[in-house]
Amino acid sequence: MKDYIKVDEWKIIEEGFDPHYNKISESIFSLGNGRMGQRANFEEAYSGETLQGNYVAGVYYPDKTRVGWWKNGYPEYFAKVLNAANWIGIDIDIDGEQLDLAACTIQQFSRELNMKEGYLKRTFTATTKAGKQVSVESIRFCSMADDETGAIRYTLTPLNFDGEIVITPFVDGDVKNKDANYDEKFWDEVKKGTAANGAFVQLRTKKTGFEVATGMRVKITQNNSPVQPEFLSIQKEKYVALQTTIEVVKNQPIVIYKYAANVSSQNYDAATLQDVLKATLQRISDKGFDTMLAEQAAAWAEKWKHNDIIIEGDASAQQGIRFNIFQLNQTYTGEDDRLNIGPKGFTGEKYGGSTYWDTEAYCVPFYLATAPQNVTRNLLLYRYKQLGKAIENAASLGFKDGAALYPMVTMDGTECHNEWEITFEEIHRNGAIAYAIYNYVRYTGDEAYLADYGLEVLIAIARFWSQRVNWSEDKQQYVMLGVTGPNEYENNINNNWYTSKLAVWCMKYALKVAEQVKTTDIAKYNALIAKISFNGGDEATKWNDIIEKMYYPYSEKLGVFLQQDGYLDKEQILVKDLPASDRPINQKWSWDRILRSCFIKQADVLQGIYFFEDEYDMDTIRRNFDFYEPRTVHESSLSPCVHAILAAKLGDEARAYEFYLRTSRLDLDDYNNDTEDGCHTTSMAGTWMSVVEGFGGMRVKDGKLSFQPFLPAKWNSFSFHVGFRGTLLNVKVSKEGVQITNNSDTETTVLIYGKEQLVQANADVILEAQ
Ligand code: BGC
């Protein structure tokens, strides 16, 4: 745990430079706009520890799988989001010495991420070995308003000398992924070029053939007047630069404006990329830095209008929640149904930038409430479009008749994961995809989605489950063998309660939706069943039989659902009795020891109770929570939020708050010692859930929003925005009571503590605290 980030409600601030924290800060201060993103690397050279990272959404490379022992069914490739051309670079040379903070003496340093307006600011004063002192202020952003572009304003002031400075802004495509399996480079050069004040490189990914053209335009002013430098063109493999020497005068700033753009063959014909890039760079450099920055602030103001959570009385919690919301918005904007949300967003390479069940289980609730409906719809369509591959994936494992198994990890629908106990066994992810469809329809009321797309996915998923279970003669029930639940600290177990529960729910839901579509849109229903040869008779009979006769492990003695068969045979030790030196167990213990222990990585039975809470009474929820939580080490960032929500539901406000704290500042405080790999972007949606579903107690009940709020003791108030079926509500919970303001022209009825309340258009209701 670190605490070097300064508390501020709208900014993330680092003061002073500690090279040991540099890679952590590079993750935390990352920028993105849904289309591209980058770690907070320095513009000038840095020879210290750094992880260079620039990413273009959806542009990936299938890296050949590397495993110790090949198993049939493993995917050939792991698709990775590529480290792409670095467009931020500006080399500065002062009297033959490169400006490099690892080599200079640093007098002042600060990094500031302005979340309100969406930019990164860095300042420093440093002295070179030769004693030349300069101060620098750089401001840069990835434009939200114009998402293929970004800009930098780099101001350099010589503080104790007059003399020559050589400035070399560049675009460098000769970059590598740190996580490359065979140390290969993934890009080939297509073309490059320099012009009077601009340069570009166009690269093509090996194997996948994506082309990305990255370019820059450079403008320089000195002492507030434009300089028209003669640039020297420098070209190397996949690298272009413009170089100029400027006579600088003590205390007179020079300002380098670097306008940059990434355009890719995903969106344009590859043959036209150079022209598109040129026009884009012309557009933004004509517009100018200040206008672009103002547009950026306006775009972020619009985001915050729908997303912000305000916490009064706890600046650190306020900073934490805004940081989470900020990163989620930087990662996914929902404009493109080919894109998704990697667990690290654009902040690092870990997890390959690919899609996990995190999206459906954790991110969907956030985007449903804070973004227009089509944003979540696009997340669902992403999976719909990959249904064919999910069916192929299942077929390659021996399933048939249109059964679909969605991949554990994917970019384009192809499975990329290659550890048998997860690839083949952590199949609960299939259920999360069905659950997201349910969640979307429950929230938006968009029943038409089911007829158009949802039912087809649901049937394919249900088909998989019906083939994945088998009849046990011994038990005279259906069982599901050889699975891994969300708790990855148990592998190859039999009858994981959560997976079996979800599987049966999927079959029930598929049957229900099939009936519904049949009733509401028989033409679409008939077209679909013909397309996918759905036998509503025999198949439905089989599914109903499984629904009726599924086996779920249960302890009569404890009155809890058993995580799996035999869970109680394990030595039952509680996490509180584990020595601190043994934690995290995934770093301190052998895998064998972890597998044999009772310790739980993340919500498993409790994930099921969270999904299906309406099926259980409070006593059941409490018994399961009180049994499982004390055995849970929360070593996945996805864990605390589910526990926060359930603790809140159980009225355990203190514990709910404790879990919330663990998720909210996870990256800012580097709680798990791994932020240098990137931020835990998908679990940030879980933090939002902890506030809105936990403290706000928000649920959807029969097409209405329902709130069961409480105010954490440390706070004076908190408030959040939710969009729901055409209304935009602000919910404020304070010591005075609950206030719901309807900032839209449509009236709506909500439930507060179970009681219906009409909220007129552009009006509010107040429920005073008793
Ligand atoms: C968790 C998974 C999750 C993955 C990516 C793992 O540590 O156990 O549930 O999907 O991280 O976030």
Side-chain angles (χ1 to χ4, degrees), residues 343 351 356-358 408 426 486 488 601-602 635-636 638 682:
Y351 297 117
Y356 285 66
W357 73 299
D358 305 26
M408 185 68 197
E426 203 177 331
E488 293 173 343
K601 182 182 183 189
Q602 67 199 91
E635 287 179 12
S636 159
L638 299 175
T682 47

Coordinates of all heavy atoms in Angstrom, one line a residue, residues 343 351 356-358 408 426 486 488 601-602 635-636 638 682, ligand 1:
P343 N -9.5 -5.7 -19.0 CA -9.4 -5.5 -17.6 C -8.4 -4.4 -17.1 O -8.5 -3.9 -16.0 CB -8.9 -6.8 -17.0 CG -9.4 -7.8 -18.0 CD -9.4 -7.1 -19.4
Y351 N -3.3 -8.9 -19.3 CA -4.6 -9.4 -19.8 C -4.8 -9.1 -21.2 O -5.9 -9.3 -21.8 CB -5.7 -8.9 -18.9 CG -5.7 -9.3 -17.5 CD1 -5.6 -8.4 -16.5 CD2 -5.8 -10.6 -17.1 CE1 -5.6 -8.8 -15.1 CE2 -5.8 -11.0 -15.8 CZ -5.7 -10.1 -14.8 OH -5.6 -10.5 -13.5
Y356 N -13.1 -10.1 -21.1 CA -13.4 -11.1 -20.0 C -14.9 -11.0 -19.6 O -15.6 -10.1 -20.0 CB -12.5 -10.9 -18.8 CG -11.1 -11.2 -19.0 CD1 -10.2 -10.5 -19.9 CD2 -10.5 -12.3 -18.3 CE1 -8.9 -10.9 -20.0 CE2 -9.2 -12.6 -18.4 CZ -8.4 -11.9 -19.3 OH -7.0 -12.2 -19.4
W357 N -15.3 -12.0 -18.8 CA -16.7 -11.9 -18.2 C -16.8 -10.7 -17.4 O -18.0 -10.3 -17.1 CB -17.0 -13.2 -17.4 CG -16.3 -13.3 -16.1 CD1 -15.0 -13.3 -15.8 CD2 -16.9 -13.3 -14.8 NE1 -14.7 -13.4 -14.5 CE2 -15.9 -13.4 -13.8 CE3 -18.3 -13.3 -14.3 CZ2 -16.2 -13.5 -12.4 CZ3 -18.5 -13.4 -13.0 CH2 -17.5 -13.5 -12.0
D358 N -15.7 -10.0 -17.0 CA -15.8 -8.8 -16.3 C -16.8 -7.8 -16.9 O -17.5 -7.1 -16.2 CB -14.4 -8.1 -16.2 CG -13.3 -8.9 -15.7 OD1 -13.4 -10.2 -15.8 OD2 -12.3 -8.4 -15.2
M408 N -13.1 -17.4 -22.6 CA -12.7 -16.8 -21.3 C -12.1 -15.5 -21.6 O -12.3 -14.5 -20.9 CB -11.8 -17.8 -20.6 CG -11.4 -17.3 -19.2 SD -12.8 -17.4 -18.1 CE -12.3 -16.3 -16.8
E426 N -13.6 -22.9 -16.6 CA -14.2 -21.7 -16.0 C -15.3 -21.2 -16.9 O -15.3 -20.1 -17.4 CB -13.2 -20.6 -15.7 CG -13.7 -19.7 -14.6 CD -12.8 -18.6 -14.1 OE1 -11.5 -18.8 -14.2 OE2 -13.3 -17.6 -13.7
P486 N -15.9 -18.9 -10.2 CA -15.2 -17.6 -10.1 C -14.0 -17.7 -9.2 O -13.1 -17.0 -9.4 CB -16.3 -16.6 -9.6 CG -17.6 -17.3 -10.0 CD -17.4 -18.8 -9.9
E488 N -11.0 -18.9 -8.5 CA -10.0 -19.7 -9.3 C -9.0 -20.4 -8.4 O -8.1 -21.0 -8.9 CB -9.3 -18.7 -10.2 CG -10.2 -18.2 -11.3 CD -9.5 -17.1 -12.2 OE1 -8.5 -16.6 -11.8 OE2 -10.1 -16.9 -13.3
K601 N -10.8 -17.0 -3.5 CA -10.2 -15.8 -4.2 C -11.1 -14.6 -4.3 O -10.8 -13.5 -4.0 CB -9.7 -16.2 -5.6 CG -9.0 -15.1 -6.3 CD -8.6 -15.5 -7.7 CE -7.8 -14.5 -8.5 NZ -7.6 -14.8 -9.9
Q602 N -12.4 -14.9 -4.7 CA -13.3 -13.8 -4.9 C -14.7 -14.4 -4.8 O -14.9 -15.7 -4.7 CB -13.1 -13.3 -6.3 CG -13.5 -14.2 -7.4 CD -12.8 -13.8 -8.8 OE1 -11.7 -14.2 -9.1 NE2 -13.5 -13.0 -9.5
E635 N -8.5 -11.7 -3.4 CA -7.3 -11.5 -4.2 C -7.6 -11.2 -5.6 O -6.6 -11.2 -6.5 CB -6.3 -12.6 -3.9 CG -5.6 -12.5 -2.6 CD -4.6 -13.6 -2.2 OE1 -4.2 -14.4 -3.0 OE2 -4.3 -13.7 -1.0
S636 N -8.8 -11.1 -6.0 CA -9.2 -10.5 -7.3 C -9.8 -9.2 -6.9 O -10.6 -9.0 -6.0 CB -10.2 -11.4 -8.0 OG -10.9 -10.6 -9.0
L638 N -12.1 -7.9 -8.3 CA -13.5 -8.0 -8.6 C -14.3 -8.4 -7.3 O -15.5 -8.4 -7.3 CB -13.9 -9.0 -9.7 CG -13.3 -8.7 -11.0 CD1 -13.6 -9.8 -12.0 CD2 -13.8 -7.4 -11.6
T682 N -11.8 -2.9 -15.1 CA -13.1 -3.5 -15.0 C -13.6 -3.5 -13.6 O -14.8 -3.3 -13.4 CB -13.1 -4.9 -15.6 OG1 -12.0 -5.6 -15.1 CG2 -13.1 -4.8 -17.1
Ligands
BGC1 C1 -10.2 -13.0 -11.9 C2 -11.2 -13.2 -13.0 C3 -11.2 -12.0 -14.0 C4 -9.8 -11.7 -14.4 C5 -9.7 -10.5 -15.3 C6 -8.8 -12.7 -12.5 O1 -7.9 -12.5 -11.5 O2 -10.2 -14.1 -11.1 O3 -12.5 -13.3 -12.5 O4 -12.0 -12.3 -15.1 O5 -8.9 -11.6 -13.3 O6 -10.1 -9.3 -14.5

